[in-house]
Amino acid sequence: MTPTASPRYASGAAGTTPTRRRCLQALAALAAPGVLQASLAATPQGSADARFLLVFLRGGYDCASLLVPTASDFYYESRPNIAIARPGGDGSALPLTSDWGLHPALAGSLLPLYAKKQVAFVPFSGTDDLTRSHFDTQDSIELGQPVGARRDYRSGFLNRLALELGAQPRWHDHLAPMAFTDTLPLVLRGGYDVPNTALAAAGAARPGIDERQAALIASMYQGTPLAGPVAEGFQTRDEVARTMQGEMDAASRNALSTKGFEGTARRMARLMQSRYNLGFVDVGGWDTHVGQGNATGALANRFEELGRGLAAFADEMGPAWDRTTVVVVSEFGRTFRENGNRGTDHGHGSVMWVLGGGIAGGRIAGEQQALTATTLFQNRDYPVLNDYRGVLGGIFARMYGLKGNALARVFPGAKPEDLRLA
């Protein structure tokens, strides 16, 4: 795909560019005011047996490796070492649409759920927060308050959702939120009393060449002209790894690791099947500045472990999976181009995942556009075309029957976006 090519990533009719589509949507809104509100008002009143789990990937995961823009030539030009190959060979992207593929590490977990229309992806999603700071943006996401406004750190958006649901007779007696974390996360702090419990120990695996292997490799070059450069290379690698591991650990905020997440997910499912219907869990280790890998490597390992965990959660939920919605978010995406360390740096737009036995999945949802040199945000990142608060607001409207004022209290200043996912 070239910078002058027509956008192919479009949720509308073939050949309709995002600009033209936005114009048509604006005209439609002028002709029929209140269409979105009427659509949301017409949604079901929500089932008191519905369950919702928010999974937060702390560290800013690389969405371009998860949902691969296989139709974009610019993607392959920008990532000569870490791109996921186009579908067709070993270790290549798993085809989802003509424009998008899935990381091959998810072949045995998410792909079967996608085929059953139980997974959808919302690319170009995120927040307007531009700090590119893990901590500021994580806080911004969890609070769900307007960017730029004064923050109230005592009011997370899932707690505000619990307050709204708890005020409704059909939810009041059996609403049971839970944070599956060792401390109460910001997203569940507020006026509704929410407990927390950790189901697994925190800690991240550290893949790569260990000290013994490094010593063996260095000994192979001993007495040769390359001995010095090899030794220096390993020393530099260790220094960078220590620095980046420290940043990764900090960015993860003591979230659990993907290692062993499958067991944790099954324990969460058993609890949500029988006792809790509103949950939160965070998973760390996604800050991949160095040695990210492509079809294999550090990031692939995390995708594989996370995917197995989510598939295990779906399996363990049993019949309740049909009334469950899981949303996976991260504070931001990563730079579209790879960096000099064969990794990626802090970015902007990301990809949300939506899973559930009763969702309208098997598709790529939301506003989309081509990925070229001219469409990147600030010439480096995915743009945000789908506000995460709007996407979640649309899901909550369908799940719980929440309408205008209630949604406005959960997400002040946000416009719900009905992508018909739930």
Side-chain angles (χ1 to χ4, degrees), residues 160-185:
R160 295 196 296 274
L161 174 64
L163 286 171
E164 291 301 322
L165 297 179
Q168 298 183 18
R170 66 180 179 277
W171 280 97
H172 178 76
D173 294 331
H174 53 265
L175 177 65
M178 170 60 78
F180 300 106
T181 54
D182 59 354
T183 60
L184 187 66

Side-chain angles (χ1 to χ4, degrees), residues 55 57 66 103-110 203-207 256-266 268 283-286 297-313 353:
V55 180
L57 306 185
L66 180 280
H103 194 287
L106 298 163
S109 56
L110 286 199
R206 301 184 183 186
L256 60 89
S257 166
T258 53
K259 186 72 70 176
F261 181 64
E262 181 176 358
T264 300
R266 288 193 179 276
M268 281 194 304
V283 184
W286 302 95
L299 184 59
N301 292 339
R302 291 187 175 90
F303 280 148
E304 195 272 335
E305 292 160 352
L306 180 67
R308 278 195 290 109
L310 292 172
F313 180 88
W353 317 8

Side-chain angles (χ1 to χ4, degrees), residues 343-365:
T344 49
D345 299 319
H346 299 177
H348 186 45
S350 186
V351 174
M352 297 173 68
W353 317 8
V354 183
L355 305 86
I359 73 160
R363 61 193 176 101
I364 315 301

Side-chain angles (χ1 to χ4, degrees), residues 85-111:
R86 287 188 169 100
D90 292 339
S92 63
L94 308 167
L96 300 181
T97 71
S98 60
D99 296 320
W100 301 101
L102 185 66
H103 194 287
L106 298 163
S109 56
L110 286 199
L111 186 63

Side-chain angles (χ1 to χ4, degrees), residues 23 36 42 77 79 104 107 124 153 169 206 210 242 249 263 281 310 333 361 398 403:
C23 290
L36 176 63
E77 296 167 7
R79 297 187 170 207
F124 306 101
Y153 285 91
R206 301 184 183 186
D210 60 28
R242 283 192 294 270
D249 291 343
V281 67
L310 292 172
R398 287 186 167 269
K403 296 184 174 68

